[in-house]
Structure formats: C-alpha cells, structure tokens
C-alpha cells in the first residue's frame, strides 16, 4: 500500500458511474438518476443508469475474469482483501460521511457501520487461505475420498439501502476470497457508498472484470436477464422478503444457488426478575442503532407485567434525551430516515396502532426539515396488530405486556420471520428462553450481536444461508468429491 492510498479523503466529489470491466463509465444511454440527502432533500449527485445491455456486459466481464481470478493463489487474493481493509480503516471518516449523506443515518451509526463493514475484508482475508478440503480412505478401503472446494462462479450481489457498506462487504469479501468474480447491484437510494467501496477494491489491486458495479433503473427485468446468463451461478441477496420471494422463483429457472438475507420482525423479551436498567440499555441499542432501520432492530417488546411500567418509563426517559437532526452534525444521536416515503410508512404504522388502542408515551410525530421522525414509545400495543407484524424500520418501540413466559415465547414466535430475537433476564432463565425462540440469532442480555466472525442469518422467511463466520465463504464455493484408488 502506498502513502497515497492511505490519505484521508474529504472530497464531496463522489464517484457516480458504473464500473464494468475495470473502467468507470456512464450507461449506454447516458441517463442518470439523482441521489438525495434525506436530511434536507438536496441532491448529492447524479448517478449513471445502467441499461439491460450494460448489465449483461458486466456479467460478460465477470465471466471473462473468472478463470484467472479463480486460479489466483489464495494468499494473493487474501492480501488484496487485507489491503482493502487497511485502506478502509484509514478512510473510515470518509466512508461514514458518504453513508450519512445518502442514507441519513447519525454519524456515530455510520462510523460503527464503517468499522463493521471494514472488518469483513480482514476476516475473509484470513478465511481465503483456509478453504477446507479432505483426503481420506473410504470405510471399506476401496478408494480415496478427496473433497475440495472450488469457486462457484460469477456471483450476482444485490444489497439494500439500510447498511449500504456492510451489506456490500459482507458479500464482496467472501466472494472474492473464494475466487468468484462479481456484479454488485446496490440499492438505488445508496449507490455512492457502493461505488466508493468498489473504488477502494481497485486501489487494493483487484484486477479488471473481477468486481463490476451496475445500477439499472429497470431493476426487475435487468436482474432477471442477468440471472438467465449462463455464466451466473450464484445470487446473494439482502433485502425484503417480498423481493427475495420473486428472486427465488427466478433462480429456479436456471437452478442458481441462492443466499437470502431477508426481513426480520425481532421480538425483545424482558423476563420477570430482569435488571431493568440493563434491559433498557440493551433496548436502546437494539432499537435505535441505525435509527431503527435494521433487519435486526427490536421490533416488538414483550415485557413482563412485574417490570412493565418501570421499563416503559425508563425507556421513554432515555429516548427523550435523543437529539434528532442531520447526521453530519455529530451531536445528533438520531438522523433522518432514508426517504420521506419511508418516514411516512413509519408514521402510518404509529397512527394505525393508536387507532387500535395503543397509547403514545413519547414522540409519535414527524419532524420538519427532512425525513425525520421522533423517538417514540407506544404502550398497550396489541399483539398481532399491524405494527407488530410489520418491520417498522424507524425509531418506534411498541410495548406489549405479558404475565406468562410461555405466552411471551408463543407471541415472540408468532411471525413468519425468524431472523433475530433478544431476551433479557436472569442468565440461566434467559438462556433457556433463548433456546425456544425460532430465530437464526438470539442476543441474551445484549443489545447487539453482529460480528464478522459469527454466523449471520435467519430461519423461516427471514432467509436461507449464513453470512460471515467460516460459513460465509462456503456460500461462494462448490464442494467437489473426487474418488481415486487407495
Ligand atoms: P428491497 O426493496 O427488497 O431492495 C433490496 C435490493 O433489491 C435493492 O438493491 C433493490 O433495488 C433490489 N430490488 C428491488 N426489486 C427487485 C427485483 N424485482 N429484482 C431484483 N432486485 C430487486 O429492500 P430494501 O427496502 O432496500 O431494504 C430493506 C429490507 O432489507 C428490509 O426488509 C430488511 O429487513 C432487509 N434486510 C435484511 C438483512 C439481513 O441480513 N437479513 C440486512 C439488511 C436489510 P432498488 O433499490 O433499485 O429498488
């Protein structure tokens, strides 16, 4: 890495083009779309629109680059990822600033995401050189069983807007470590973060064609066309369950391997005998990280009646201290939602809950200027009401009381989703309840659990497969069994 590569960047002149076959360029039709700062609705940039043909060109480029990238020694791939890690670590403020501007999140959230996102390059740099294989004798001694893992092929990576950096690096890092070449399609709200990360990868030494970036406006048809391209062997998608369902059907056409990180509806259970202050601290993180716009966000609070009033009161007290405003002002703890449309969805859910009998003890309103919504606490929410069945994706905490722990478990599991749950209580009790929660991940007496070294993923309609951990790289590898003489 040269000194130049580590220089702190402060430019607001963001990359806003497609990246295909090692070149930054506009789309074939020269059209662009605006990227909006939701804190003040100003335009940050005009980003190139990819035509369907541009998308196919990106897949063609990835297909051409695949044989040599797959054959590149793991150590070399690893060192490129490690360099990307070093660059991103030294430019974390710049990465955070791009995310704040196009996503609206608070600066502290953006810095936290920048660090989390960057860690995937370090983690998978370490995994690239540990791809597993076996060489053993069959039980009856008639053959050698050799198992090896080879890169699956050209991979299509589709990401959402809520964690524009981490959702991209959680896919790019294992794919590249495995020896796959990729086409990255970021969310239309947040393409600047993706373009910056791709630029960092090129500075780290990723060869032409290995990573491609496209931003089609006709996203459904463009993705469908790419999935029919014979070179595409993998679809790794993070986004809503609704879109995931459509993509799974399309993947069936050409039997493409899929990894699906979909929606959540996380229960947050506060058991009798809980340390209420600790539960409130956990709730603040589980609810308010990223302004509530997280698939892992606590979405439904089930609180035992013995601690309900104390929990509700203390939570509202702490949330009242949250300053709301543009994320670029680091004093603000809660930034804007990603768009006015998303903000209005949150407002509609709160209004519907109130119509359904819930009481607002804090907040409950839109704020002027940009896509801002007040930190909000709702009590006496009915289990099964719309706000309990929908991902809120905003700073709203709906509280449901319970008397019986079995009831709490039943309500927690009464959802089509199964991404994550939170349980607070006396440790042995909380651990026992955690084991009964139908979710891929459960945080016990903690408000956050994501870690690149841990398997991230959901059960039920929250997804298929795991990211991070030693399993994340396996999603981009095919196991091959070779039999030979003993
Ligand atoms: P989304 O609407 O499903 O969009 C996700 C991505 O899919 C975007 O890049 C979007 O592109 C693209 N897309 C939309 N329609 C498509 C189609 N027909 N074919 C192919 N791609 C299509 O989700 P979102 O609103 O951006 O993100 C929020 C959702 O993501 C929430 O449900 C959240 O829970 C989930 N999420 C899950 C995880 C997890 O790890 N489980 C993590 C983060 C977020 P455009 O932007 O161009 O429309």
């Amino acid at each position: 890495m040269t000194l130049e590569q580590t220089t702190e960047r402060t430019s607001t002149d963001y990359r806003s083009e497609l990246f295909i076959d090692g070149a930054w360029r506009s789309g074939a039709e020269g059209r662009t779309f605006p990227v909006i700062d939701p804190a003040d609705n100003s335009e940050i940039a005009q980003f190139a629109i990819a035509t369907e043909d541009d998308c196919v060109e990106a897949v063609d480029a990835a297909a051409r680059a695949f044989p040599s990238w797959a054959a590149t020694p793991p150590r070399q791939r690893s060192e490129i990822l490690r360099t990307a890690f070093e660059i991103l670590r030294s430019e974390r403020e710049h990465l955070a600033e791009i995310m704040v501007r196009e996503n609206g999140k608070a600066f502290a959230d953006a810095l936290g995401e920048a660090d989390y996102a960057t860690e995937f390059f370090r983690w998978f740099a370490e995994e690239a050189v540990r791809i597993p294989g076996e060489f053993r004798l069959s039980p009856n001694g008639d053959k050698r069983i050799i198992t090896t893992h080879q890169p699956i092929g050209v991979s299509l990576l589709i990401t959402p807007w809520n964690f524009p950096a981490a959702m991209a690096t959680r896919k790019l890092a294992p794919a590249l470590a495995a020896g796959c070449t990729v086409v990255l399609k970021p969310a239309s709200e947040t393409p600047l973060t993706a373009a910056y990360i791709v630029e960092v990868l090129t500075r780290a030494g990723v060869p032409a064609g290995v990573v491609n970036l496209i931003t089609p406006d006709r996203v459904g048809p463009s993705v469908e066309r790419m999935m029919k391209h014979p070179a595409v062997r993998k679809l790794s998608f993070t986004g809503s369950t609704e879109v995931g369902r459509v993509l799974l059907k399309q993947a069936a056409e050409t039997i493409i391997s899929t990894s699906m990180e979909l929606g959540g509806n996380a229960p947050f259970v506060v058991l009798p005998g809980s340390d209420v202050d600790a539960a409130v601290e956990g709730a603040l993180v589980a609810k308010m990280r990223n302004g509530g716009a997280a698939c892992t966000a606590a979405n439904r609070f089930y609180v035992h009646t013995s601690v309900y009033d104390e929990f509700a009161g203390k939570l509202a007290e702490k949330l009242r201290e949250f300053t709301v405003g543009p994320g670029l002002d680091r004093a603000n703890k809660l930034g804007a939602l990603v768009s006015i449309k998303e903000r209005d969805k949150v407002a509609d859910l709160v209004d519907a809950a109130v119509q359904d009998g819930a009481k607002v003890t804090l907040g409950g309103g839109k704020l002027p200027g940009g896509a801002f919504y007040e930190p909000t606490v709702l009590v006496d929410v009915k289990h099964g009401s719309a706000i309990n069945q929908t991902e809120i994706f905003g700073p709203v905490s709906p509280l449901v009381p319970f008397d019986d722990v079995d009831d709490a478990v039943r309500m927690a599991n009464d959802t089509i989703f199964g991404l994550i749950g939170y349980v607070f209580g006396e440790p042995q009790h909380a651990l026992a309840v955690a084991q009964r929660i139908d979710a891929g991940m459960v945080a016990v007496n903690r408000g956050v659990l994501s870690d690149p070294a841990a398997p991230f993923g959901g059960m039920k309609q929250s997804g298929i497969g795991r990211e991070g951990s030693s399993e994340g790289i396996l999603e981009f590898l095919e196991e091959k069994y070779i039999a030979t003489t003993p």
Side-chain angles (χ1 to χ4, degrees):
M1 196 175 36
T2 66
L3 195 59
E4 248 172 30
Q5 287 171 319
T6 61
T7 306
E8 188 62 50
R9 300 192 17 162
T10 51
S11 163
T12 49
D13 184 13
Y14 305 122
R15 277 234 177 260
S16 53
E17 291 170 298
L18 315 179
F19 189 68
I20 298 173
D21 207 7
W24 293 97
R25 66 166 179 79
S26 50
E29 291 171 1
R31 292 184 298 126
T32 58
F33 65 97
V35 184
I36 302 294
D37 182 340
D40 59 9
N41 301 315
S42 64
E43 185 181 297
I44 310 167
Q46 283 284 335
F47 206 99
I49 292 176
T51 63
E52 282 185 38
D53 287 346
D54 291 327
C55 294
V56 171
E57 262 187 54
V59 175
D60 286 338
R64 281 193 302 276
F66 178 65
S68 76
W69 183 246
T72 300
R75 174 67 73 206
Q76 216 171 307
R77 296 200 299 259
S78 165
E79 281 171 0
I80 289 173
L81 292 175
R82 176 75 200 198
T83 304
F85 162 75
E86 302 288 355
I87 297 173
L88 279 174
R89 186 162 62 171
S90 69
E91 297 183 2
R92 66 194 281 271
E93 295 265 337
H94 180 67
L95 172 57
E97 183 200 294
I98 301 175
M99 287 192 279
V100 168
R101 293 213 62 204
E102 65 178 353
N103 170 281
K105 61 181 72 188
F107 213 95
D109 281 330
L111 277 179
E113 179 180 352
D115 293 342
Y116 176 53
T118 300
E119 277 301 325
F120 284 103
F121 285 127
R122 173 153 66 176
W123 174 259
F124 284 107
E126 290 158 356
E127 290 299 290
V129 292
R130 303 200 192 330
I131 293 172
E134 272 195 342
F135 184 87
R136 63 189 162 89
L137 194 59
S138 64
N140 67 10
D142 68 337
K143 63 176 108 49
R144 278 289 157 193
I145 295 172
I146 304 170
T147 61
T148 177
H149 286 86
Q150 60 189 50
I152 193 164
V154 174
S155 301
L156 191 50
L157 315 178
I158 304 181
T159 54
W161 49 261
N162 63 336
F163 289 106
M167 297 305 96
T169 60
R170 203 163 76 179
K171 298 184 189 306
L172 285 164
L176 298 178
C180 294
T181 55
V182 306
V183 177
L184 173 64
K185 198 275 200 237
S188 47
E189 290 88 346
T190 53
L192 301 174
T193 304
Y196 167 67
I197 289 169
V198 168
E199 187 205 280
V200 165
L201 282 167
T202 64
R203 288 158 64 200
V206 167
V210 171
V211 174
N212 302 274
L213 174 77
I214 47 118
T215 44
D217 58 345
R218 297 180 65 238
V219 58
S222 302
V223 169
E224 193 169 9
R225 189 148 157 221
M226 287 191 286
M227 284 170 71
K228 285 189 175 143
H229 192 300
V232 171
R233 295 311 317 140
K234 178 81 197 179
L235 168 66
S236 179
F237 173 75
T238 298
S240 62
T241 295
E242 198 187 353
V243 173
R245 212 174 270 127
V246 170
L247 292 173
L248 279 169
K249 283 187 192 144
Q250 288 173 16
E253 285 283 316
T254 38
I255 318 290
I256 290 176
S257 162
T258 57
S259 299
M260 292 276 151
E261 294 289 345
L262 307 177
N265 182 7
F268 187 107
V269 179
V270 185
L271 296 168
S274 287
D275 173 341
V276 174
D277 291 324
V280 167
E281 286 307 318
L284 290 173
V285 184
K287 178 74 249 180
M288 299 302 288
R289 196 165 68 106
N290 222 37
C295 54
T296 51
N299 207 55
R300 303 168 287 148
F301 291 82
Y302 297 105
V303 185
H304 192 258
T305 43
S306 61
V307 289
Y308 186 83
D309 289 341
E310 185 185 354
F311 180 85
K314 285 183 168 169
L315 183 62
E317 208 176 291
K318 290 276 184 186
L319 285 171
R320 192 168 287 119
E321 291 163 12
F322 270 60
T323 43
V324 188
L328 284 181
D329 178 347
R330 298 186 189 207
N332 291 323
K333 282 181 84 176
L334 178 61
L337 278 83
V338 74
S339 63
I340 295 287
K341 191 171 141 221
E342 280 296 313
R343 192 272 311 270
D344 289 349
K345 270 199 227 166
V346 174
D348 289 348
L349 277 172
V350 171
D351 293 347
V354 170
Q355 299 251 310
D356 211 12
K359 289 193 200 73
V360 179
T361 63
L362 181 75
K366 301 174 190 177
L367 291 168
F372 298 106
Y373 196 82
E374 291 179 296
T376 296
V377 177
L378 298 174
V379 295
D380 299 342
V381 174
K382 289 196 190 90
H383 168 70
S385 59
I387 203 162
N388 255 200
Q389 291 176 336
T390 316
E391 260 188 313
I392 304 169
F393 254 53
V396 180
S397 305
L399 272 54
V400 180
F402 72 87
D403 280 314
D404 184 88
V405 172
D406 287 343
D407 270 347
V409 172
R410 182 187 53 74
M411 292 190 287
N413 290 336
D414 184 19
T415 167
I416 59 166
F417 299 104
L419 186 62
I420 181 171
Y422 299 85
V423 182
F424 275 77
E426 178 277 316
Q428 284 303 101
H429 190 196
L431 199 54
V433 171
Q435 292 182 57
R436 298 170 62 195
I437 303 287
D438 297 336
M441 302 173 284
V442 184
V444 173
N445 291 330
R446 308 180 46 87
V448 64
L449 54 54
S450 300
D451 189 312
F456 190 105
M459 293 178 179
K460 302 201 279 186
Q461 294 190 30
S462 285
I464 301 170
R466 294 292 180 267
E467 292 191 322
S469 175
S470 46
E471 288 143 75
I473 196 167
L474 295 178
E475 304 273 334
F476 293 95
L477 291 163
E478 288 271 30
E479 188 168 25
K480 181 180 276 177
Y481 158 46
I482 299 170
T484 186
T485 51

